[in-house]
């Protein structure tokens, strides 16, 4: 196929002619695309847009790749006022299932634990059936029997408490200094963990608080 350079005077006329022809028969020649690459859905709440969204939600189980299914679900969840849609619960369920599948596919037990924990900690997971949450909690408990995972879990619990304490501190310098000391302690106690390293970074960030 010849390459047309529309910046070159020789090709400008051909480009304009192609644009005119394309405008007339675009609908007839529009190629089929995977769900995650389909044309953007109109943001207005018209019947056509709503029908398209509903169809794409119903088609989510047909996407074999969990990663692609997750991308499509997150794309749809990001649409304006999607949280008010009667199809939101079905969408969240598909999103949760895809994200869990992606997490379970990880071979590193620490990464798997982190991803599953992140999933059930997401506010959207509150809309999922309790049985599904319990299933993941059971998996997490089993993973924590491994020393490396247990160390990360212990570090995460300490780190998470300090993060919440810092968030509640606002601009109170005394409380921020206390948070900095907490991060520092977490970093030293769990130096070889991911959360320990995050705690060290947080301690350094707050080191200038006097």
């Amino acid at each position: 196929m010849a390459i047309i350079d529309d910046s070159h005077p020789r090709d400008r006329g051909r480009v304009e002619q192609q644009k005119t022809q394309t405008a007339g028969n675009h609908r007839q020649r529009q190629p089929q695309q995977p769900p995650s690459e389909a044309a953007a859905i109109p943001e207005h709440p018209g019947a056509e847009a709503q029908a398209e969204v509903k169809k794409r939600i119903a088609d989510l189980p047909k996407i074999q790749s969990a990663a692609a299914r997750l991308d499509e679900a997150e794309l749809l969840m990001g649409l304006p006022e999607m949280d008010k849609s009667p199809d939101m619960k079905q969408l969240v369920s598909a999103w949760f299932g895809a994200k869990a599948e992606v997490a379970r596919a990880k071979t590193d037990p620490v990464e798997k634990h982190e991803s599953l924990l992140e999933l059930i900690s997401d506010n959207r997971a509150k809309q999922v059936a309790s049985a599904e949450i319990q299933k993941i909690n059971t998996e997490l408990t089993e993973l924590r029997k491994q020393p490396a995972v247990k160390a990360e879990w212990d570090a995460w619990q300490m780190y998470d408490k300090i993060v919440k304490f810092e968030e509640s501190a606002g601009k109170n310098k005394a409380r921020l200094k206390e948070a900095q000391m907490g991060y520092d302690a977490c970093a030293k106690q769990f130096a070889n963990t991911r959360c320990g390293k995050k705690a060290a970074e947080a301690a350094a960030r707050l080191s200038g608080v006097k």
Side-chain angles (χ1 to χ4, degrees):
M1 180 182 290
I3 298 177
I4 299 176
D5 179 3
D6 63 359
S7 65
H8 196 291
R10 178 193 61 202
D11 292 328
R12 282 180 190 151
R14 295 167 62 191
V15 171
E16 291 303 317
Q17 183 179 10
Q18 286 185 1
K19 286 181 179 178
T20 301
Q21 293 173 346
T22 300
N25 60 11
H26 174 70
R27 290 187 179 179
Q28 286 72 25
R29 300 193 301 109
Q30 190 172 24
Q32 294 296 318
Q33 296 173 304
S36 60
E37 298 177 2
I41 298 172
E43 294 187 1
H44 58 78
E48 184 178 349
Q50 290 178 9
E52 173 67 10
V53 171
K54 191 175 186 69
K55 181 180 182 303
R56 285 172 66 168
I57 292 174
D59 287 345
L60 281 170
K62 300 177 183 177
I63 303 176
Q64 294 185 355
S65 165
R69 201 182 324 127
L70 177 60
D71 287 343
E72 173 74 344
E74 291 187 334
L75 172 69
L76 294 172
M77 291 171 84
L79 293 175
E81 299 188 359
M82 191 63 219
D83 57 328
K84 300 176 183 177
S85 169
D87 299 311
M88 185 61 176
K89 188 172 182 179
Q90 180 184 355
L91 176 56
V92 170
S93 179
W95 161 82
F96 187 89
K99 199 168 180 68
E101 191 174 335
V102 169
R104 289 179 177 124
K106 295 181 183 296
T107 56
D108 185 314
V110 170
E111 290 184 358
K112 183 182 295 185
H113 178 274
E114 186 176 275
S115 296
L116 289 172
L117 181 61
E118 177 186 287
L119 173 57
I120 62 172
S121 299
D122 193 301
N123 283 332
R124 292 171 290 187
K126 294 177 181 177
Q127 301 179 53
V128 177
S130 58
E132 292 299 315
I133 302 297
Q134 183 55 46
K135 186 185 300 183
I136 289 183
N137 275 323
T138 300
E139 293 178 59
L140 290 171
T141 298
E142 191 64 26
L143 284 167
R144 287 166 193 158
K145 293 179 180 179
Q146 302 181 49
V149 177
K150 185 179 185 306
E152 286 289 350
W153 169 235
D154 290 343
W156 183 89
Q157 291 180 94
M158 183 176 182
Y159 176 76
D160 187 57
K161 287 180 180 178
I162 303 167
V163 168
K164 290 175 180 175
F165 178 84
E166 182 192 352
E167 290 174 347
S168 68
K171 297 182 179 180
N172 186 307
K173 291 186 176 182
R175 288 172 62 81
L176 288 174
K177 183 62 179 177
E178 190 175 344
Q180 192 273 335
M181 294 171 64
Y183 284 129
D184 188 56
C186 181
K188 291 176 179 177
Q189 184 175 345
F190 300 103
N192 296 321
T193 66
R194 300 183 184 196
C195 280
K197 291 177 173 61
K198 289 181 181 179
E201 293 174 358
R205 172 173 53 80
L206 294 176
S207 60
V209 177
K210 303 296 183 183

